[in-house]
Amino acid sequence: MQNFRQLALFVIFAAFSAITAAQVFLTTRPPTGDREWPVVKEGTTRKIAPHVYVIPSESVPRVPNVGIIVGSRATMIIDPGMGRLSGEAVAREAAKVSSNRELYLVTTHLHPEHTTGEGAFPTAKIVRSKAQHQDIEASGMEWVGIFAKRSPELTEILKGASFRKPDEIFENETTVDLGGVRVRLMWAGPAHTMGDTVFFVEGDNVLFSGDLVMK
């Protein structure tokens, strides 16, 4: 386990140190404040590797970099944004780049801007690390309440937000084959949260690190 954590942290550090080579997205537009509408923006999806697309946060507070990984059989969504409005935007963007009916949904950690968009994907297969699942069980809805109190916009966006039970739970690491592309799911916590999970797209050499690596 210790060797795994050292490897995961090394991979994260390498991604941070070689941003261009690892194709980790950073945006240059400065944050404009919490009053900006914190919903994933449509029409901005970019292809960064043969099987990988990103909907960039564009430095809008409470909006994550969303990943879309497309295989020949299935598609994986990483961090579907905050609330159903973000999730629906992500679903429409994913439909532009993939016609797969089979969907996987994964999240880097429990915070609402990364997870609560899952409400727009009622049939997607949710896969979580055990530690992240425990995080969500213990305090997921508490975090929803904390965020909802921060502004009227967040109150509206998070109305009715909830968490589904995962379809699959793994301990430290697992691999999902989407058809011609494999994604390694690795628990890297405790760090930003207890359940931080990173996703490495084999072959494309793209790492989604969530809030373990931030500008």
Side-chain angles (χ1 to χ4, degrees), residues 123-185:
T123 63
K125 182 176 182 179
I126 295 178
V127 184
R128 288 196 178 109
S129 64
K130 181 179 179 180
Q132 187 180 133
H133 172 61
Q134 292 172 337
D135 256 359
I136 290 172
E137 288 282 285
S139 58
M141 290 308 299
E142 179 181 350
W143 276 105
V144 169
I146 291 170
F147 272 59
K149 292 177 181 178
R150 290 178 174 174
S151 73
E153 291 85 358
L154 294 180
T155 300
E156 179 180 348
I157 289 168
L158 287 169
K159 187 176 181 179
S162 62
F163 295 91
R164 278 174 43 207
K165 297 287 185 182
D167 299 282
E168 180 181 334
I169 297 174
F170 65 94
E171 287 279 348
N172 297 321
E173 180 176 345
T174 192
T175 299
V176 175
D177 188 342
L178 301 175
V181 56
R182 290 163 53 90
V183 185
R184 292 174 61 193
L185 289 61

Side-chain angles (χ1 to χ4, degrees), residues 64-65 79 108-109 111 113-114 192 196 209-214:
N65 292 316
D79 285 353
T108 55
H109 61 289
H111 290 155
E113 77 272 31
H114 295 263
H192 180 62
D196 293 297
S209 61
D211 287 357
L212 291 177
V213 180
M214 292 189 286

